[in-house]
Amino acid sequence: MEIELTKENYDGEVIKSNMPVLVDFWASWCGPCKMVAPIISQIAEEYNGKVKVCKVNVDDQGELAAQNAIVSIPTVILFIDGKPVKKIVGAHSLDDYEDAIDEFIWLKLINYSVQCINIHTQWIFMHCFYMI
């Protein structure tokens, strides 16, 4: 499912999201945007529950386009923890978008795993230290 973004729901859906967010900036008159649209829909289906997929019509939401420095469409931005981590300008293949998403999902997973290992190691050290 794709979510239409407006300035009213942008912060809640993107900035405060607890999952990665892929935002497609598009316009109805844009030919390359029409080529990308079914790819974005496919990503929304394939990554359902893992990545939130949103769309911004730049004609209707010019403020959001300006806020995200959109100078060409289509532009797709991947946000993680409310921050833009990858910007893809122009029409690209499904593989290009999936590679970008997968790269950052894996980096986040690895980072989370390292944090868990560090916490676990600290716990073990503290308990072993007190046993001595």
Side-chain angles (χ1 to χ4, degrees):
M1 179 176 106
E2 298 160 74
I3 299 167
E4 279 292 328
L5 293 178
T6 64
K7 62 183 178 182
E8 290 78 25
N9 69 354
Y10 179 82
D11 281 351
E13 295 291 351
V14 178
I15 304 303
K16 296 176 183 172
S17 180
N18 60 355
M19 70 172 58
V21 182
L22 190 75
V23 181
D24 174 25
F25 292 85
W26 67 283
S28 60
W29 48 263
C30 168
C33 297
K34 291 176 184 176
M35 292 170 30
V36 168
I39 294 171
I40 299 300
S41 295
Q42 185 174 347
I43 289 169
E45 288 179 32
E46 288 178 11
Y47 287 85
N48 188 23
K50 298 177 195 154
V51 175
K52 188 185 298 187
V53 177
C54 301
K55 297 180 80 62
V56 175
N57 182 324
V58 298
D59 289 333
D60 297 338
Q61 301 297 323
E63 192 174 313
L64 289 180
Q67 180 180 329
N68 287 281
I70 304 302
V71 294
S72 182
I73 53 173
T75 293
V76 175
I77 302 177
L78 177 65
F79 291 83
I80 297 198
D81 297 326
K83 295 173 182 60
V85 295
K86 182 78 173 180
K87 183 184 265 192
I88 302 171
V89 179
H92 286 262
S93 69
L94 174 64
D95 287 343
D96 289 344
Y97 295 116
E98 288 180 333
D99 288 348
I101 294 167
D102 293 343
E103 173 187 352
F104 284 99
I105 288 176
W106 277 108
L107 285 176
K108 187 169 180 156
L109 181 61
I110 289 167
N111 189 24
Y112 177 75
S113 298
V114 168
Q115 289 174 357
C116 289
I117 290 168
N118 286 339
I119 291 168
H120 185 69
T121 302
Q122 290 171 357
W123 184 87
I124 290 171
F125 177 76
M126 287 174 48
H127 282 78
C128 290
F129 179 74
Y130 289 120
M131 294 177 92
I132 295 177

